PDB file of all heavy atoms in Angstrom:
ATOM      1  N   TYR D 295     -39.553 -28.079 -13.189  1.00  0.00           N
ATOM      2  CA  TYR D 295     -39.433 -29.435 -12.691  1.00  0.00           C
ATOM      3  C   TYR D 295     -39.845 -30.445 -13.763  1.00  0.00           C
ATOM      4  O   TYR D 295     -40.554 -30.116 -14.703  1.00  0.00           O
ATOM      5  CB  TYR D 295     -40.260 -29.673 -11.412  1.00  0.00           C
ATOM      6  CG  TYR D 295     -41.744 -29.684 -11.549  1.00  0.00           C
ATOM      7  CD1 TYR D 295     -42.435 -30.879 -11.782  1.00  0.00           C
ATOM      8  CD2 TYR D 295     -42.490 -28.527 -11.456  1.00  0.00           C
ATOM      9  CE1 TYR D 295     -43.815 -30.900 -11.895  1.00  0.00           C
ATOM     10  CE2 TYR D 295     -43.873 -28.534 -11.562  1.00  0.00           C
ATOM     11  CZ  TYR D 295     -44.530 -29.720 -11.787  1.00  0.00           C
ATOM     12  OH  TYR D 295     -45.895 -29.744 -11.916  1.00  0.00           O
ATOM     13  N   TYR D 296     -39.353 -31.635 -13.636  1.00  0.00           N
ATOM     14  CA  TYR D 296     -39.729 -32.771 -14.489  1.00  0.00           C
ATOM     15  C   TYR D 296     -40.508 -33.760 -13.644  1.00  0.00           C
ATOM     16  O   TYR D 296     -40.240 -33.939 -12.473  1.00  0.00           O
ATOM     17  CB  TYR D 296     -38.481 -33.494 -15.001  1.00  0.00           C
ATOM     18  CG  TYR D 296     -37.732 -32.749 -16.079  1.00  0.00           C
ATOM     19  CD1 TYR D 296     -36.617 -31.990 -15.784  1.00  0.00           C
ATOM     20  CD2 TYR D 296     -38.130 -32.854 -17.409  1.00  0.00           C
ATOM     21  CE1 TYR D 296     -35.917 -31.310 -16.766  1.00  0.00           C
ATOM     22  CE2 TYR D 296     -37.451 -32.197 -18.406  1.00  0.00           C
ATOM     23  CZ  TYR D 296     -36.328 -31.435 -18.091  1.00  0.00           C
ATOM     24  OH  TYR D 296     -35.666 -30.780 -19.076  1.00  0.00           O
ATOM     25  N   ASP D 297     -41.470 -34.446 -14.296  1.00  0.00           N
ATOM     26  CA  ASP D 297     -42.051 -35.610 -13.655  1.00  0.00           C
ATOM     27  C   ASP D 297     -42.393 -36.639 -14.729  1.00  0.00           C
ATOM     28  O   ASP D 297     -42.366 -36.313 -15.918  1.00  0.00           O
ATOM     29  CB  ASP D 297     -43.312 -35.254 -12.824  1.00  0.00           C
ATOM     30  CG  ASP D 297     -44.452 -34.696 -13.688  1.00  0.00           C
ATOM     31  OD1 ASP D 297     -44.438 -34.914 -14.900  1.00  0.00           O
ATOM     32  OD2 ASP D 297     -45.349 -34.066 -13.119  1.00  0.00           O
ATOM     33  N   SER D 298     -42.662 -37.838 -14.307  1.00  0.00           N
ATOM     34  CA  SER D 298     -43.052 -38.884 -15.282  1.00  0.00           C
ATOM     35  C   SER D 298     -44.315 -39.556 -14.818  1.00  0.00           C
ATOM     36  O   SER D 298     -44.464 -40.755 -14.859  1.00  0.00           O
ATOM     37  CB  SER D 298     -41.923 -39.923 -15.474  1.00  0.00           C
ATOM     38  OG  SER D 298     -41.813 -40.724 -14.337  1.00  0.00           O
ATOM     39  N   TYR D 299     -45.219 -38.739 -14.357  1.00  0.00           N
ATOM     40  CA  TYR D 299     -46.448 -39.250 -13.770  1.00  0.00           C
ATOM     41  C   TYR D 299     -47.256 -40.088 -14.746  1.00  0.00           C
ATOM     42  O   TYR D 299     -47.861 -41.077 -14.400  1.00  0.00           O
ATOM     43  CB  TYR D 299     -47.298 -38.053 -13.304  1.00  0.00           C
ATOM     44  CG  TYR D 299     -48.588 -38.426 -12.646  1.00  0.00           C
ATOM     45  CD1 TYR D 299     -48.618 -38.832 -11.307  1.00  0.00           C
ATOM     46  CD2 TYR D 299     -49.796 -38.370 -13.333  1.00  0.00           C
ATOM     47  CE1 TYR D 299     -49.805 -39.161 -10.702  1.00  0.00           C
ATOM     48  CE2 TYR D 299     -50.980 -38.709 -12.737  1.00  0.00           C
ATOM     49  CZ  TYR D 299     -50.989 -39.098 -11.429  1.00  0.00           C
ATOM     50  OH  TYR D 299     -52.162 -39.424 -10.830  1.00  0.00           O
ATOM     51  N   HIS D 300     -47.267 -39.666 -16.031  1.00  0.00           N
ATOM     52  CA  HIS D 300     -48.132 -40.333 -17.000  1.00  0.00           C
ATOM     53  C   HIS D 300     -47.436 -41.374 -17.841  1.00  0.00           C
ATOM     54  O   HIS D 300     -46.588 -41.039 -18.657  1.00  0.00           O
ATOM     55  CB  HIS D 300     -48.778 -39.298 -17.917  1.00  0.00           C
ATOM     56  CG  HIS D 300     -49.987 -38.721 -17.263  1.00  0.00           C
ATOM     57  ND1 HIS D 300     -51.156 -39.388 -17.144  1.00  0.00           N
ATOM     58  CD2 HIS D 300     -50.143 -37.574 -16.624  1.00  0.00           C
ATOM     59  CE1 HIS D 300     -52.004 -38.668 -16.484  1.00  0.00           C
ATOM     60  NE2 HIS D 300     -51.431 -37.536 -16.147  1.00  0.00           N
ATOM     61  N   GLU D 301     -47.801 -42.598 -17.624  1.00  0.00           N
ATOM     62  CA  GLU D 301     -47.344 -43.702 -18.461  1.00  0.00           C
ATOM     63  C   GLU D 301     -45.829 -43.683 -18.610  1.00  0.00           C
ATOM     64  O   GLU D 301     -45.288 -44.046 -19.660  1.00  0.00           O
ATOM     65  CB  GLU D 301     -48.048 -43.647 -19.830  1.00  0.00           C
ATOM     66  CG  GLU D 301     -49.524 -43.819 -19.708  1.00  0.00           C
ATOM     67  CD  GLU D 301     -50.271 -43.619 -21.027  1.00  0.00           C
ATOM     68  OE1 GLU D 301     -49.599 -43.356 -22.043  1.00  0.00           O
ATOM     69  OE2 GLU D 301     -51.510 -43.720 -21.009  1.00  0.00           O
ATOM     70  N   GLY D 302     -45.167 -43.197 -17.603  1.00  0.00           N
ATOM     71  CA  GLY D 302     -43.718 -43.201 -17.610  1.00  0.00           C
ATOM     72  C   GLY D 302     -43.102 -42.145 -18.521  1.00  0.00           C
ATOM     73  O   GLY D 302     -41.894 -42.157 -18.732  1.00  0.00           O
ATOM     74  N   GLN D 303     -43.922 -41.225 -19.051  1.00  0.00           N
ATOM     75  CA  GLN D 303     -43.382 -40.221 -19.948  1.00  0.00           C
ATOM     76  C   GLN D 303     -42.951 -38.968 -19.184  1.00  0.00           C
ATOM     77  O   GLN D 303     -43.681 -38.486 -18.340  1.00  0.00           O
ATOM     78  CB  GLN D 303     -44.388 -39.860 -21.009  1.00  0.00           C
ATOM     79  CG  GLN D 303     -44.647 -41.000 -21.963  1.00  0.00           C
ATOM     80  CD  GLN D 303     -45.336 -40.522 -23.226  1.00  0.00           C
ATOM     81  OE1 GLN D 303     -45.362 -39.363 -23.561  1.00  0.00           O
ATOM     82  NE2 GLN D 303     -45.907 -41.457 -23.943  1.00  0.00           N
ATOM     83  N   LEU D 304     -41.775 -38.477 -19.553  1.00  0.00           N
ATOM     84  CA  LEU D 304     -41.230 -37.311 -18.855  1.00  0.00           C
ATOM     85  C   LEU D 304     -41.840 -36.030 -19.409  1.00  0.00           C
ATOM     86  O   LEU D 304     -41.963 -35.860 -20.634  1.00  0.00           O
ATOM     87  CB  LEU D 304     -39.709 -37.319 -19.093  1.00  0.00           C
ATOM     88  CG  LEU D 304     -38.798 -36.755 -18.005  1.00  0.00           C
ATOM     89  CD1 LEU D 304     -39.037 -37.427 -16.650  1.00  0.00           C
ATOM     90  CD2 LEU D 304     -37.348 -36.965 -18.420  1.00  0.00           C
ATOM     91  N   HIS D 305     -42.230 -35.109 -18.495  1.00  0.00           N
ATOM     92  CA  HIS D 305     -42.718 -33.805 -18.888  1.00  0.00           C
ATOM     93  C   HIS D 305     -41.870 -32.736 -18.189  1.00  0.00           C
ATOM     94  O   HIS D 305     -41.509 -32.906 -17.029  1.00  0.00           O
ATOM     95  CB  HIS D 305     -44.163 -33.578 -18.460  1.00  0.00           C
ATOM     96  CG  HIS D 305     -45.157 -34.504 -19.119  1.00  0.00           C
ATOM     97  ND1 HIS D 305     -46.373 -34.804 -18.572  1.00  0.00           N
ATOM     98  CD2 HIS D 305     -45.099 -35.165 -20.279  1.00  0.00           C
ATOM     99  CE1 HIS D 305     -47.041 -35.607 -19.353  1.00  0.00           C
ATOM    100  NE2 HIS D 305     -46.274 -35.860 -20.401  1.00  0.00           N
ATOM    101  N   ARG D 306     -41.659 -31.629 -18.888  1.00  0.00           N
ATOM    102  CA  ARG D 306     -40.980 -30.489 -18.243  1.00  0.00           C
ATOM    103  C   ARG D 306     -42.042 -29.434 -17.931  1.00  0.00           C
ATOM    104  O   ARG D 306     -42.882 -29.127 -18.764  1.00  0.00           O
ATOM    105  CB  ARG D 306     -39.928 -29.894 -19.176  1.00  0.00           C
ATOM    106  CG  ARG D 306     -39.165 -28.712 -18.574  1.00  0.00           C
ATOM    107  CD  ARG D 306     -38.377 -27.919 -19.605  1.00  0.00           C
ATOM    108  NE  ARG D 306     -37.313 -28.683 -20.183  1.00  0.00           N
ATOM    109  CZ  ARG D 306     -37.137 -28.853 -21.504  1.00  0.00           C
ATOM    110  NH1 ARG D 306     -37.969 -28.295 -22.368  1.00  0.00           N
ATOM    111  NH2 ARG D 306     -36.131 -29.536 -21.969  1.00  0.00           N
ATOM    112  N   HIS D 307     -41.958 -28.879 -16.717  1.00  0.00           N
ATOM    113  CA  HIS D 307     -42.905 -27.851 -16.277  1.00  0.00           C
ATOM    114  C   HIS D 307     -42.186 -26.587 -15.849  1.00  0.00           C
ATOM    115  O   HIS D 307     -41.766 -26.466 -14.700  1.00  0.00           O
ATOM    116  CB  HIS D 307     -43.729 -28.349 -15.065  1.00  0.00           C
ATOM    117  CG  HIS D 307     -44.502 -29.599 -15.303  1.00  0.00           C
ATOM    118  ND1 HIS D 307     -45.894 -29.610 -15.413  1.00  0.00           N
ATOM    119  CD2 HIS D 307     -44.130 -30.892 -15.448  1.00  0.00           C
ATOM    120  CE1 HIS D 307     -46.335 -30.853 -15.600  1.00  0.00           C
ATOM    121  NE2 HIS D 307     -45.295 -31.641 -15.619  1.00  0.00           N
ATOM    122  N   PRO D 308     -42.017 -25.626 -16.739  1.00  0.00           N
ATOM    123  CA  PRO D 308     -41.385 -24.371 -16.324  1.00  0.00           C
ATOM    124  C   PRO D 308     -42.407 -23.393 -15.713  1.00  0.00           C
ATOM    125  O   PRO D 308     -43.504 -23.248 -16.252  1.00  0.00           O
ATOM    126  CB  PRO D 308     -40.823 -23.793 -17.626  1.00  0.00           C
ATOM    127  CG  PRO D 308     -41.590 -24.424 -18.710  1.00  0.00           C
ATOM    128  CD  PRO D 308     -42.220 -25.675 -18.187  1.00  0.00           C
ATOM    129  N   ARG D 309     -42.094 -22.787 -14.587  1.00  0.00           N
ATOM    130  CA  ARG D 309     -42.970 -21.811 -13.952  1.00  0.00           C
ATOM    131  C   ARG D 309     -42.996 -20.532 -14.771  1.00  0.00           C
ATOM    132  O   ARG D 309     -41.949 -20.109 -15.288  1.00  0.00           O
ATOM    133  CB  ARG D 309     -42.470 -21.529 -12.511  1.00  0.00           C
ATOM    134  CG  ARG D 309     -43.342 -20.567 -11.742  1.00  0.00           C
ATOM    135  CD  ARG D 309     -42.783 -20.353 -10.320  1.00  0.00           C
ATOM    136  NE  ARG D 309     -43.466 -19.235  -9.686  1.00  0.00           N
ATOM    137  CZ  ARG D 309     -44.164 -19.307  -8.548  1.00  0.00           C
ATOM    138  NH1 ARG D 309     -44.264 -20.468  -7.934  1.00  0.00           N
ATOM    139  NH2 ARG D 309     -44.759 -18.246  -8.030  1.00  0.00           N
ATOM    140  N   ILE D 310     -44.152 -19.876 -14.837  1.00  0.00           N
ATOM    141  CA  ILE D 310     -44.283 -18.672 -15.679  1.00  0.00           C
ATOM    142  C   ILE D 310     -43.424 -17.540 -15.131  1.00  0.00           C
ATOM    143  O   ILE D 310     -42.602 -16.976 -15.871  1.00  0.00           O
ATOM    144  CB  ILE D 310     -45.743 -18.200 -15.775  1.00  0.00           C
ATOM    145  CG1 ILE D 310     -46.622 -19.313 -16.388  1.00  0.00           C
ATOM    146  CG2 ILE D 310     -45.876 -16.913 -16.590  1.00  0.00           C
ATOM    147  CD1 ILE D 310     -46.395 -19.611 -17.834  1.00  0.00           C
ATOM    148  N   SER D 311     -43.589 -17.187 -13.855  1.00  0.00           N
ATOM    149  CA  SER D 311     -42.801 -16.093 -13.299  1.00  0.00           C
ATOM    150  C   SER D 311     -42.893 -16.102 -11.769  1.00  0.00           C
ATOM    151  O   SER D 311     -43.646 -16.901 -11.200  1.00  0.00           O
ATOM    152  CB  SER D 311     -43.305 -14.742 -13.822  1.00  0.00           C
ATOM    153  OG  SER D 311     -44.541 -14.415 -13.210  1.00  0.00           O
ATOM    154  N   TYR D 312     -42.179 -15.199 -11.140  1.00  0.00           N
ATOM    155  CA  TYR D 312     -42.217 -15.103  -9.674  1.00  0.00           C
ATOM    156  C   TYR D 312     -43.639 -14.849  -9.184  1.00  0.00           C
ATOM    157  O   TYR D 312     -44.063 -15.412  -8.165  1.00  0.00           O
ATOM    158  CB  TYR D 312     -41.323 -13.936  -9.245  1.00  0.00           C
ATOM    159  CG  TYR D 312     -41.356 -13.657  -7.757  1.00  0.00           C
ATOM    160  CD1 TYR D 312     -40.631 -14.447  -6.869  1.00  0.00           C
ATOM    161  CD2 TYR D 312     -42.125 -12.620  -7.227  1.00  0.00           C
ATOM    162  CE1 TYR D 312     -40.670 -14.203  -5.503  1.00  0.00           C
ATOM    163  CE2 TYR D 312     -42.183 -12.368  -5.891  1.00  0.00           C
ATOM    164  CZ  TYR D 312     -41.443 -13.157  -5.015  1.00  0.00           C
ATOM    165  OH  TYR D 312     -41.504 -12.930  -3.683  1.00  0.00           O
TER     166      TYR D 312
END
Side-chain angles (χ1 to χ4, degrees):
Chain D
Y295 71 91
Y296 286 97
D297 63 19
S298 71
Y299 181 80
H300 278 285
E301 298 174 1
Q303 291 197 17
L304 212 54
H305 296 157
R306 181 194 294 127
H307 300 252
R309 181 179 170 121
I310 301 290
S311 73
Y312 176 79

